[in-house]
């Protein structure tokens, strides 16, 4: 079977946390860098978040990003509404949630991942409306969620 993602260069590693401000402070101290800005995931009118196939207008999170060349590290603190972030944090606790890859052609890549045996958990548009993401369940096979990232040109 062909690989489901064309460009297999790792783009991001994502962590779920209960307290993003405390955790980002510790990572910044550990890395010896300034604390990055914390942003919210955006408004539903732009993000159009879907969780397990249903609209999730209240599913939101706080995010912050550290950069290591082309590799991004993301910290995510979900709100209390149902989302893959909250579900995973409740089930597995804090820690690594996903690895991400840049893709071209989100629909065909989601389909290829589903053919490979992954299930679409959550998807939406970037908070600025300039791209989209999809979280694919690869916990059984890869022991991690795979996130697909597509930027508009």
């Amino acid at each position: 079977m062909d690989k489901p993602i064309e460009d297999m260069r790792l783009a991001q590693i994502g962590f779920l946390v209960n307290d993003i401000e405390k955790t980002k402070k510790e990572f910044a101290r550990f890395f010896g860098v300034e604390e990055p800005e914390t942003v919210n995931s955006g408004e539903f009118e732009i993000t159009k978040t879907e969780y397990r196939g249903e609209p999730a207008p209240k599913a939101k999170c706080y995010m912050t990003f550290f950069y290591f060349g082309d590799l991004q590290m993301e910290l995510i603190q979900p709100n209390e509404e149902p989302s893959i972030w909250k579900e995973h944090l409740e089930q597995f606790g804090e820690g690594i949630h996903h690895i991400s890859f840049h893709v071209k052609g989100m629909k065909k890549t989601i389909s290829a991942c589903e053919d490979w045996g992954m299930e679409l958990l959550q998807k939406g548009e970037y908070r600025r409306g300039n791209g989209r993401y999809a979280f694919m369940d690869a916990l059984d096979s890869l022991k991690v969620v795979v996130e697909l990232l597509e930027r508009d040109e």
Side-chain angles (χ1 to χ4, degrees):
M1 174 178 282
D2 291 336
K3 62 184 183 176
I5 300 169
E6 289 179 26
D7 184 350
M8 295 303 283
R9 289 177 295 172
L10 192 60
Q12 180 189 85
I13 300 171
F15 292 77
L16 289 170
V17 300
N18 289 315
D19 184 337
I20 198 165
E21 295 304 318
K22 179 181 174 187
T23 307
K24 85 170 179 179
K25 180 183 286 299
E26 289 301 311
F27 269 113
R29 191 168 73 91
F30 179 75
F31 296 140
V33 299
E34 293 290 320
E35 289 181 39
E37 176 186 17
T38 298
V39 298
N40 69 41
S41 54
E43 298 305 315
F44 181 72
E45 293 74 29
I46 295 171
T47 64
K48 300 173 180 64
T49 305
E50 289 183 20
Y51 167 59
R52 296 198 174 273
E54 297 294 323
K58 295 181 181 178
K60 297 182 190 261
C61 69
Y62 290 105
M63 306 173 290
T64 193
F65 303 92
F66 291 89
Y67 294 89
F68 306 92
D70 291 338
L71 182 63
Q72 184 182 68
M73 187 179 102
E74 178 183 31
L75 302 179
I76 301 170
Q77 177 187 322
N79 68 1
E80 292 301 314
E81 297 296 324
S83 69
I84 192 53
W85 307 303
K86 181 162 174 35
E87 176 186 314
H88 195 99
L89 188 59
E90 288 177 344
Q91 187 173 0
F92 300 105
E94 295 180 288
I96 293 177
H97 172 248
H98 66 267
I99 56 174
S100 302
F101 302 91
H102 292 294
V103 303
K104 287 183 171 55
M106 182 63 81
K107 287 181 182 178
K108 75 175 171 82
T109 308
I110 288 172
S111 180
C113 286
E114 288 173 334
D115 290 346
W116 202 81
M118 298 180 202
E119 176 189 357
L120 176 61
L121 299 171
Q122 182 171 309
K123 69 179 183 173
E125 298 290 312
Y126 294 166
R127 66 190 182 92
R128 291 190 179 119
N130 61 345
R132 62 216 40 85
Y133 72 91
F135 288 112
M136 307 299 299
D137 185 347
L139 289 170
D140 284 344
S141 57
L142 303 178
K143 312 307 176 205
V144 70
V145 171
V146 169
E147 183 182 29
L148 310 175
L149 302 169
E150 182 178 48
R151 279 198 191 283
D152 295 334
E153 298 301 326

